[in-house]
Amino acid sequence: MYSIWKRFVKKDASSDLTDRIQRIREFGVPQHIAIIMDGNGRWAKKRALPRVAGHHEGMKVVRKITRMANQLGVSALTVYAFSTENWKRPKTEVEYLMKLPEEFLGSFLPELIRENVRVEMIGDFTTLPAHTQRAVQKAIDDTKDNDGLVLNFALNYGSRAEIVKGVNNVLKDAQKGILKGDISEDVFSRYLMTSTLPDPDLLIRTSGEIRLSNFMLWQLAYTELWFTEVLWPDFNETHLLEAIEVYQKRARRYGGV
Ligand code: FPP
């Protein structure tokens, strides 16, 4: 009797979402998701707001997406928060972007600690302003023993610079005799800033731009790419689920048949 009744009761949206998350988990979630969060400026412009308002809204989306990635059981989430090229932006915008990690981590760090999220960073740490370094270092230190989702900030990151740095370190180790003869792809990977992470399975770029913008060029060799017109501040949990569902339907052959 009860089961007949249940069939005719319309399920509410939250239980639909729970079912959808459950299905996605059963199918196997991408271990590592990387995101190029683009479109903050256009989002602000559409609303006649200053560009930084878009970045602020974008920061809130990082929080939502981190929570959902954690709920899904994703191992690593890399977000491109500031590129080595972004220094070319107006000084006030750069200063604003450099304050966002403090604001984000200032309020979100206790939850990250509690939820077993480990904060990491790729990019040139040394040339970040001291206040940004302090905020990021504190988050890294305070979450270092967590072994759940890795929330990896690409901050002051550029893939070509990362590769060149890796090559220079290979040369140094060869001179010291630590490396002998030719090196393999696996060995080279250990010289990149992502040495402790698996390569991304899924790359998401928002705002309709179809390019990689110097992001994880080595690591994305076999990654499934998903582009959406949605501007980053409008991106939400459902968009993430949609991207993962598309990913799950793709056959990854890694060059095989
Ligand atoms: C690109 O959009 C976005 C950025 C350069 C900054 C991304 C930063 C965030 C989303 C904030 C997250 C930060 C933390 C610390 C959580 P754009 O400004 O190039 O947009 P446009 O192409 O529309 O101008």
Side-chain angles (χ1 to χ4, degrees):
M1 181 64 187
Y2 172 70
S3 62
I4 294 168
W5 174 79
K6 217 167 77 172
R7 272 168 57 196
F8 291 101
V9 175
K10 201 177 173 326
K11 287 204 284 176
D12 64 20
S14 80
S15 81
D16 280 351
L17 183 67
T18 311
D19 289 354
R20 192 171 172 190
I21 292 170
Q22 187 56 32
R23 270 197 310 278
I24 288 176
R25 287 181 64 113
E26 280 163 14
F27 238 79
V29 289
Q31 267 199 77
H32 184 177
I33 300 177
I35 308 184
I36 302 177
M37 311 180 286
D38 200 4
N40 295 347
R42 277 162 284 167
W43 182 92
K45 195 172 175 202
K46 269 169 62 180
R47 288 161 180 78
L49 293 169
R51 290 177 55 79
V52 294
H55 295 317
H56 195 262
E57 205 59 29
M59 177 194 71
K60 293 196 227 158
V61 176
V62 177
R63 193 183 304 221
K64 284 198 276 190
I65 296 308
T66 302
R67 287 189 182 127
M68 180 51 85
N70 205 19
Q71 193 181 345
L72 286 163
V74 170
S75 310
L77 176 68
T78 297
V79 289
Y80 203 4
F82 193 89
S83 77
T84 42
E85 289 71 37
N86 286 152
W87 295 107
K88 292 184 219 145
R89 294 188 176 210
K91 193 166 171 270
T92 47
E93 185 174 342
V94 169
E95 281 173 359
Y96 189 87
L97 284 166
M98 286 298 148
K99 282 191 192 133
L100 282 184
E102 281 157 281
E103 183 175 347
F104 177 82
L105 295 163
S107 61
F108 198 33
L109 186 56
E111 182 177 330
L112 295 173
I113 296 170
R114 205 172 56 241
E115 294 298 324
N116 197 25
V117 176
R118 189 165 77 247
V119 175
E120 291 185 3
M121 189 201 126
I122 53 172
D124 184 357
F125 183 79
T126 57
T127 50
L128 290 172
H131 61 91
T132 316
Q133 288 190 16
R134 273 196 299 275
V136 174
Q137 192 60 55
K138 177 172 169 29
I140 293 172
D141 293 343
D142 289 0
T143 61
K144 69 177 191 323
D145 296 325
N146 286 354
D147 58 5
L149 171 73
V150 173
L151 173 58
N152 183 34
F153 286 100
L155 196 57
N156 197 12
Y157 173 84
S159 185
R160 288 187 172 182
E162 176 192 30
I163 292 170
V164 169
K165 192 173 175 202
V167 170
N168 283 323
N169 286 333
V170 165
L171 290 173
K172 280 185 201 142
D173 280 354
Q175 274 159 8
K176 286 187 215 151
I178 297 168
L179 289 175
K180 290 188 182 69
D182 294 346
I183 60 160
S184 64
E185 291 181 12
D186 273 354
V187 168
F188 185 63
S189 295
R190 285 184 234 139
Y191 283 82
L192 296 175
M193 292 165 179
T194 48
S195 59
T196 58
L197 296 172
D199 287 341
D201 303 291
L202 172 65
L203 171 85
I204 295 172
R205 182 171 188 151
T206 57
S207 89
E209 307 292 350
I210 315 286
R211 57 176 171 267
L212 295 179
S213 303
N214 201 17
F215 186 53
M216 300 184 102
L217 302 178
W218 171 278
Q219 296 87 340
L220 294 175
Y222 286 104
T223 302
E224 295 296 328
L225 312 180
W226 188 78
F227 299 97
T228 175
E229 295 287 326
V230 175
L231 304 175
W232 178 251
D234 290 326
F235 195 84
N236 60 32
E237 294 90 338
T238 310
H239 296 120
L240 178 67
L241 298 182
E242 187 189 333
I244 296 175
E245 283 163 348
V246 170
Y247 162 85
Q248 289 180 327
K249 287 189 192 112
R250 295 206 190 147
R252 299 182 78 194
R253 289 189 292 274
Y254 299 95
V257 286

